[in-house]
Amino acid sequence: MKNTQSAIFAEEQQQYFYYHLEFSLNGEISSAALKAVIQNFNFTIDSVNTLIAFSSKSLSLLGMDIPTQLKDFPNYHGVQDLSMPSTQGDILVWLKSDNQSLLMDQMLAIVGAMKNIGSLDIEVSGFNYHNSRDMIGFVDGTGNPKTDELRYQAAVIPHNEIGADGSYVMTQKWVTDLASFNQRPVKEQEQIIGRTKVDDIELEGDEQPNNSHVSRTDIKVDGVAQKIWRSSSPYASATEQGLYFLAFSCELSRFESQIHSMLGLTDDGVHDRLMEFSKPVSGSYWFAPSQVQLEAL
């Protein structure tokens, strides 16, 4: 994994903070202007992990090869009026650090560098909540691959494909109705998620509902597990709480398989019950180039 951007698999600490920034480029931006801004980004600040990813539009402007499956995030429509909207951006920057001051400095530097070539469409400040739990109180990312080899297989494009050592990326901002979810008994909450709340143990057999979040996302296609690498973080203010979903994959189609399953677009027509309490309000697909590709700029 030495050629991947280091932020993807960087070991995180319990006191980590995050910034997620999604930009749209100005309509008349030139390739030279965009390249100059990217070249001046400082990716090596001590204690701050910085990842950058691009849409197919921005990759084209930079003169970089576009991975085969990369496309703009469409508007997905599921059963019972469920949906996942598109807010496709052009550049994604993900920052994480245990030093909130340095994190803020890096965020301000990048926003300042981007102001003349694009607009900041989405800004989400996240944090580590109660030992990697979502705002609803369940551990997030439990299903991630456990070994370096399995993480690489799930998240990184193979060597024989365009974009080798890079990753397909998916981002969504989810807004959660905490009051409604928390009114449910813990037993029902566990059936909605598919895991126990305190001990983080996956429900098994008849105890695992077919409309739980685990059931709708831990899936196989033609016998192949659709594993991805999740790096989401919760966010919260006095008026809004939720999750910024961030994930990496070796295939963009793995994201789509999970989306279809959540929205009830599979043969069984069953949707993810978690979507009754948490709604996505944004959605974008990206490509995170390898470190070698970034240095080639």
Side-chain angles (χ1 to χ4, degrees):
M1 288 179 279
K2 63 182 180 181
N3 288 334
T4 62
Q5 291 189 54
S6 59
I8 297 177
F9 298 112
E11 185 175 354
E12 299 186 6
Q13 302 178 31
Q14 295 302 324
Q15 65 269 33
Y16 255 39
F17 304 93
Y18 308 88
Y19 259 106
H20 311 90
L21 309 171
E22 299 185 23
F23 298 90
S24 290
L25 296 174
N26 297 337
E28 302 301 321
I29 183 68
S30 69
S31 175
L34 174 58
K35 190 173 292 188
V37 169
I38 302 302
Q39 288 171 342
N40 286 322
F41 275 6
N42 186 352
F43 292 98
T44 58
I45 293 179
D46 288 342
S47 301
V48 180
N49 289 292
T50 302
L51 177 133
I52 189 166
F54 305 98
S55 67
S56 55
K57 171 186 171 181
S58 53
L59 286 175
S60 181
L61 275 172
L62 290 168
M64 300 178 71
D65 291 335
I66 300 175
T68 306
Q69 293 189 8
L70 186 64
K71 64 180 182 180
D72 287 350
F73 194 97
N75 290 304
Y76 291 97
H77 300 282
V79 300
Q80 299 184 17
D81 295 326
L82 296 176
S83 64
M84 293 187 180
S86 171
T87 55
Q88 182 65 53
D90 293 316
I91 294 180
L92 165 71
V93 178
W94 175 44
L95 309 172
K96 59 180 181 177
S97 178
D98 62 350
N99 187 315
Q100 199 168 18
S101 297
L102 292 178
L103 184 74
M104 179 70 71
D105 291 342
Q106 176 73 326
M107 181 274 292
L108 292 174
I110 287 175
V111 170
M114 288 291 297
K115 67 180 180 181
N116 292 325
I117 66 167
S119 59
L120 178 60
D121 297 333
I122 295 176
E123 172 192 358
V124 179
S125 175
F127 54 92
N128 195 306
Y129 182 65
H130 289 307
N131 298 320
S132 300
R133 293 179 184 267
D134 194 348
M135 294 301 298
I136 58 177
F138 286 81
V139 176
D140 185 63
T142 298
N144 272 343
K146 305 303 181 187
T147 68
D148 286 346
E149 181 179 0
L150 292 176
R151 291 166 190 161
Y152 189 88
Q153 290 175 359
V156 180
I157 297 173
H159 289 297
N160 60 343
E161 297 183 17
I162 298 173
D165 290 332
S167 295
Y168 293 103
V169 187
M170 176 178 161
T171 59
Q172 289 180 304
K173 180 183 177 182
W174 289 72
V175 179
T176 303
D177 186 346
L178 282 183
S180 178
F181 187 85
N182 289 335
Q183 286 175 357
R184 308 286 173 165
V186 171
K187 180 69 173 180
E188 183 179 355
Q189 293 179 15
E190 293 176 339
Q191 291 177 329
I192 292 169
I193 300 302
R195 306 188 71 86
T196 59
K197 190 167 187 177
V198 175
D199 300 328
D200 189 35
I201 299 172
E202 185 170 321
L203 304 183
E204 296 183 354
D206 293 339
E207 291 292 315
Q208 182 67 266
N210 67 345
N211 63 352
S212 73
H213 185 59
V214 168
S215 291
R216 305 317 297 175
T217 57
D218 188 9
I219 57 177
K220 292 183 178 180
V221 174
D222 296 328
V224 178
Q226 302 298 285
K227 289 294 185 181
I228 59 177
W229 179 253
R230 293 172 174 83
S231 295
S232 306
S233 64
Y235 70 90
S237 69
T239 57
E240 183 179 289
Q241 303 85 39
L243 183 79
Y244 186 90
F245 178 82
L246 170 68
F248 302 86
S249 179
C250 60
E251 300 172 309
L252 188 142
S253 58
R254 296 192 178 193
F255 297 138
E256 289 207 299
S257 295
Q258 293 190 1
I259 287 172
H260 290 165
S261 179
M262 293 177 71
L263 290 174
L265 299 177
T266 48
D267 291 340
D268 59 10
V270 177
H271 70 275
D272 187 338
R273 196 174 170 212
L274 180 59
M275 294 193 69
E276 298 173 13
F277 303 90
S278 193
K279 307 292 184 184
V281 296
S282 74
S284 287
Y285 288 139
W286 318 85
F287 170 64
S290 69
Q291 193 62 39
V292 173
Q293 288 175 295
L294 279 181
E295 292 171 359
L297 287 175

